[in-house]
Amino acid sequence: MGRRRRRRRVDPADATRALPEAIAALSQTLPAGPSPETFRRAKFDRPEAAPALWRLLFRVLSPQLADGASASFSPEAQVRSVKLALRTQGYPRRALAQLPDDGSQGGRELLLALAWLLARGPLPERLLTQNRVQLGDEMPVCECEALASPGPPTPSVEADGCVDIRHLQWLMGKLRFRWRNLMASQQEQCALLGKIHSYTRGCHSDRSLGHLSVTETELLRDPEGGRQLLRRLERENARLQAALEWRRRELVFWWWMDTVLGACPPEASQPTFLPRIPTPGTGALEPLVQELQALQGELREAVEARRAAWEAGVGGRGPEWSAARTALREAVGQDLAALRQACERGGSCSLAQPHGPHRLVRTEAGAPGGPGLRAPEVIEALRSQEARLEVVLRQLQGQCRQELARLVGAPPGPVWILPPGR
Amino acid sequence: MDTTVTLLAGSSRRLVAELRDALDSCAERQRQLERSLRVSRRLLRAWEPAETLAPEPTPGPETNEEAPSAACIPSPQDLKELELLTQALEKAVRVRKGISNAGEGNKAPSLKSGSIATSPATRASAPPSTSHRAGSRASETKPPRGIRQTRVPTKDLPERRLLSVGDQACMGQGAGATKPKSGLRNEQIVLSAASQAPEAFTLKDKGILLQLPEAFRKAASRNSRLWAQLSSTQTSDSVDAATTAKTQFLQKMQTTSGWPGPRLSATEVEAEVRHLQTACLLLRLRMGEELTADPKDWMQEYRCLLTLEELQAIVGQCLHGLRELCTVVEQQLGPWPEGRFPRASLPCGGGADPIWSPQLLLYSSTQELQTLAALRLRVAMLHQQIHLEKVLMAELLPLVCKQEPLGPPWLALCRAVHSLLCEGGQRFLTILREDKPAD
């Protein structure tokens, strides 16, 4: 290749070389990636390509599994899991669901599925982030991860039957106790972290960090563990490098995938029977509907009360009133614009606060410091969140109190002596 | 009266499931914390010498070789010399304590002469408390690798000579020992020697001498560089071309599949449900702010009213969207899934520009860190409490309506429900009832 020849975008010679390189990069950055030869065979739907691609898709779709854990799933289980996961995410082609469970066929279809997943989002980066080697002491500054947890599985029909309300009280007490323990353990951990950070100040080669983290100190204490950490780090570096390569070269892959799609026979348009997939039924949406309706009811009450008070009140009359009213309306609209956007379909409900895990770095008080969040800011944000959440909780409890008082009814009835106020 | 208040089977299952789930998530956090605590506690104790530590090659003059590899019994004369040495060290430390106000607390070494007589063949058993330095024992304690690679600052050079007095006497090593010289006259040497007496390694005393191994440092800096590059390659020309190609591919996939497929995938439905739940909470938070605000003049009052009306409108829109969602879902058959789907985890905050590796959080004191962590847990706990409150309300309030009023079981139920719903299960109210006169 002469230096004077300019690289043109569509150059057959380059393309033939570029494609295997792109696929090699992709395969290296994904866990359990097969060789480029496997990909080529898959295009022609050769059966020997199928098992490797099933395994790859399984690893990609279940990233929460540890490296070795996927071996405990039988090939059939892996195939079924892949099928379910793809349909859950809305994979449009039926042909995948019709592939046999023994994992012996379907190379081309699996290739299309992989491409579909890659096209929908930054898959390699996401996978790398999930299994990232953590070198620092990290603390998430938000609760998004905990809030996103799916909640309890629908209780199956048990023989337990009815439950005494005192059991519920006992469970609540147990929960309170666990939180207290958690808080105490957390305080201890912070104290220990503080000590470790201050004892190792000045040791880190990276000036912006300044001191060692627990992981780094641990690797000094335990050389064998340190060697393992180093190996993991080097593996991750290789995958990161491959991901960057992939991003540079992926265009040629998409051109190729076009041809793969073209090589598929067109699917019949009449829908064949497909097994039901579990979907959130309307039953699951019911609580949410009720919640929104309850909220709507509370707002309606509040608005009616205030409107009535306003009409009966003295303020808001006179010629300058309409101008003031318009100004206020605009101000409120602006005020709530962010909230409105967050609540819209597809909006992001980020609660306007810092997010994600952060690496803890101890600095001297008063030092200007480099880039990064400052603890006082985060504390402020958390305090205001705490205050707002407490208001909501009191509100809900107050509602219950009113409701119960109403149900108990007027005297003559038993006299309720409320517990002493806080 | 001691009546057992039973609940209907259906609602009790849901309640117990929710409470158990809350307990489980708490337990999971506790487990993770315990793991971290174990590691941290172990780091702050004196470090045990590693079992599989390969014997070091003869170190160069830089390293501070303290550990003897062979056991040897000190001769009486050696013991006497060590005794002198110890006394000198003790005196030095006393002087030092007088000079500098060591804020670190217990600087006084537990240099007991008695311990010198201990056979050096005994391994130093690490003292559990980290605030005491191990006594100067003529025993073998192999310091960890980190120390070996330390570039010892020049001020420590004199003390190697000092130690070699004892070294030669007992430890039997030649490497690193220069001319034996009793530098006892020089207090400075003695002072630094006091901190270099062969003893178990504690992070508190020698943490600042640690240094990460070269290979690791290289790998770690390469790692952070690569992550930074990954975050920054989000916008460029080639990326745009690739994005177009991907969109076209997806469209083609959709059109070539004979089956129109669900309008919304299950994952998308779930994501929308979570989104609406968060929206509901946000709206409730805002409503709470408005309701507790105290308007001072009519302008504020009107503004409050307008805000509440606006919130009402937003809730209406959310409900409308939710009803549309229900219609779409109804068209698909299938019960609520038993298991949980492996969900693609999005970077939280739903940012358009996800930052793939963690950023820094700077804190300046342990107090600050503890406050931050405590607040985080408190926010998590409040989220959980609010969720449980809603579940309890939904399940328990209807029960109170259903039961026969004013009977003893009903009163007990009311009392229990009141406690759970209004006092977080922590306090109970008292019910006075006027009994009819016994007949």
Side-chain angles (χ1 to χ4, degrees), chain B residues 204-268:
Chain B
K204 175 172 177 181
D205 304 325
K206 302 183 193 157
I208 50 176
L209 301 175
L210 291 176
Q211 204 177 50
L212 292 169
E214 182 71 29
F216 178 81
R217 269 189 279 152
K218 284 211 178 98
S221 74
R222 183 150 183 257
N223 188 268
S224 54
R225 222 179 32 243
L226 286 170
W227 275 113
Q229 272 185 290
L230 208 63
S231 304
S232 70
T233 56
Q234 297 301 316
T235 49
S236 74
D237 281 340
S238 61
V239 168
D240 291 336
T243 316
T244 324
K246 283 188 262 197
T247 324
Q248 283 174 354
F249 176 76
L250 286 174
Q251 281 170 355
K252 222 170 150 191
M253 281 278 271
Q254 191 69 45
T255 51
T256 55
S257 80
W259 176 47
R263 292 215 325 254
L264 276 180
S265 70
T267 321
E268 284 166 327

Side-chain angles (χ1 to χ4, degrees), chain A residues 48-243:
Chain A
E48 60 265 23
L53 285 173
W54 280 117
R55 276 196 300 273
L56 171 63
L57 280 173
F58 181 71
R59 286 295 301 276
V60 159
L61 289 165
S62 334
Q64 70 277 12
L65 292 177
D67 278 337
S70 50
S72 64
F73 283 76
S74 71
E76 286 80 20
Q78 293 190 10
V79 166
R80 276 195 296 271
S81 166
V82 167
K83 284 186 184 177
L84 176 61
L86 281 171
R87 283 207 61 203
T88 309
Q89 295 201 27
Y91 184 64
R93 292 173 60 91
R94 289 192 326 276
L96 188 98
Q98 292 165 342
L99 290 171
D101 273 2
D102 61 356
S104 57
Q105 289 179 35
R108 185 162 56 209
E109 194 59 40
L110 293 173
L111 188 55
L112 288 173
L114 178 66
W116 184 78
L117 288 170
L118 283 168
R120 297 214 328 158
L123 185 62
E125 285 89 341
R126 240 190 274 136
L127 290 173
L128 282 166
T129 309
Q130 276 169 354
N131 297 324
R132 192 169 42 90
V133 173
Q134 292 190 2
L135 292 174
D137 299 316
E138 292 181 11
M139 177 176 286
V141 297
C142 63
E143 277 299 302
C144 297
E145 183 132 332
L147 288 174
S149 75
T154 325
S156 49
V157 181
E158 286 163 14
D160 275 349
C162 304
V163 154
D164 193 330
I165 199 168
R166 286 176 296 185
H167 184 61
L168 291 180
Q169 289 169 339
W170 179 75
L171 285 174
M172 290 278 274
K174 195 169 165 183
L175 186 62
R176 259 202 319 283
F177 180 67
R178 279 202 186 167
W179 274 110
R180 265 209 298 275
N181 270 356
L182 198 58
M183 300 267 193
S185 304
Q186 175 75 275
Q187 296 293 80
E188 189 190 343
Q189 169 67 346
C190 289
L192 296 183
L193 275 180
K195 277 192 186 157
I196 293 176
H197 290 175
S198 62
Y199 292 168
T200 59
R201 65 191 171 282
C203 296
H204 210 288
S205 45
D206 184 346
R207 284 278 153 257
S208 65
L209 293 174
H211 59 76
L212 302 180
S213 69
V214 166
T215 315
E216 288 159 342
T217 319
E218 178 70 11
L219 89 86
L220 286 172
R221 187 195 71 87
D222 174 22
E224 181 52 40
R227 280 191 284 273
Q228 284 176 5
L229 183 66
L230 184 58
R231 279 197 290 271
R232 277 180 61 208
L233 199 55
E234 284 169 348
R235 275 201 299 270
E236 180 173 292
N237 284 351
R239 282 180 63 187
L240 283 168
Q241 185 75 52

Side-chain angles (χ1 to χ4, degrees), chain B residues 159-346:
Chain B
E159 41 132 339
R160 280 192 297 108
R161 277 176 272 147
L162 173 67
L163 271 178
S164 64
V165 170
D167 284 353
Q168 281 195 331
C170 178
M171 318 234 178
Q173 55 160 48
T178 53
K179 297 181 298 220
K181 200 187 261 192
S182 57
L184 288 169
R185 292 161 207 117
N186 195 336
E187 263 184 274
Q188 212 178 14
I189 297 174
V190 165
L191 282 175
S192 30
S195 64
Q196 285 290 338
E199 58 199 29
F201 176 86
T202 54
L203 205 57
K204 175 172 177 181
D205 304 325
K206 302 183 193 157
I208 50 176
L209 301 175
L210 291 176
Q211 204 177 50
L212 292 169
E214 182 71 29
F216 178 81
R217 269 189 279 152
K218 284 211 178 98
S221 74
R222 183 150 183 257
N223 188 268
S224 54
R225 222 179 32 243
L226 286 170
W227 275 113
Q229 272 185 290
L230 208 63
S231 304
S232 70
T233 56
Q234 297 301 316
T235 49
S236 74
D237 281 340
S238 61
V239 168
D240 291 336
T243 316
T244 324
K246 283 188 262 197
T247 324
Q248 283 174 354
F249 176 76
L250 286 174
Q251 281 170 355
K252 222 170 150 191
M253 281 278 271
Q254 191 69 45
T255 51
T256 55
S257 80
W259 176 47
R263 292 215 325 254
L264 276 180
S265 70
T267 321
E268 284 166 327
V269 171
E270 256 185 293
E272 188 58 28
V273 167
R274 272 205 309 279
H275 173 257
L276 283 170
Q277 279 169 342
T278 321
C280 195
L281 180 62
L282 282 177
L283 289 163
R284 204 172 258 292
L285 285 174
R286 193 53 207 268
M287 180 178 82
E289 277 175 31
E290 292 301 320
L291 291 181
T292 50
D294 193 19
K296 299 203 177 39
D297 57 37
W298 63 265
M299 271 187 76
Q300 284 186 358
E301 209 181 301
Y302 194 68
R303 191 186 177 124
C304 183
L305 173 60
L306 286 180
T307 312
L308 287 171
E309 281 180 344
E310 180 77 11
L311 289 177
Q312 201 184 1
I314 300 177
V315 171
Q317 280 174 354
C318 288
L319 260 176
H320 180 72
L322 184 55
R323 292 213 175 93
E324 272 182 356
L325 193 67
C326 287
T327 335
V328 167
V329 167
E330 260 166 19
Q331 294 168 1
Q332 294 166 192
L333 309 163
W336 181 243
E338 289 298 320
R340 299 176 214 186
F341 302 119
R343 53 186 50 192
S345 73
L346 302 158

Side-chain angles (χ1 to χ4, degrees), chain B residues 100-168:
Chain B
S100 66
N101 42 349
E104 287 251 328
N106 192 7
K107 270 283 186 203
S110 37
L111 295 170
K112 304 270 184 286
S113 23
S115 62
I116 295 178
T118 319
S119 161
T122 13
R123 261 160 72 96
S125 55
S129 150
T130 63
S131 54
H132 302 304
R133 251 180 285 150
S136 143
R137 304 172 198 184
S139 48
E140 25 188 272
T141 315
K142 291 194 199 238
R145 283 239 173 95
I147 286 289
R148 299 250 162 114
Q149 294 162 8
T150 305
R151 281 189 213 96
V152 178
T154 44
K155 81 163 166 66
D156 286 331
L157 282 172
E159 41 132 339
R160 280 192 297 108
R161 277 176 272 147
L162 173 67
L163 271 178
S164 64
V165 170
D167 284 353
Q168 281 195 331

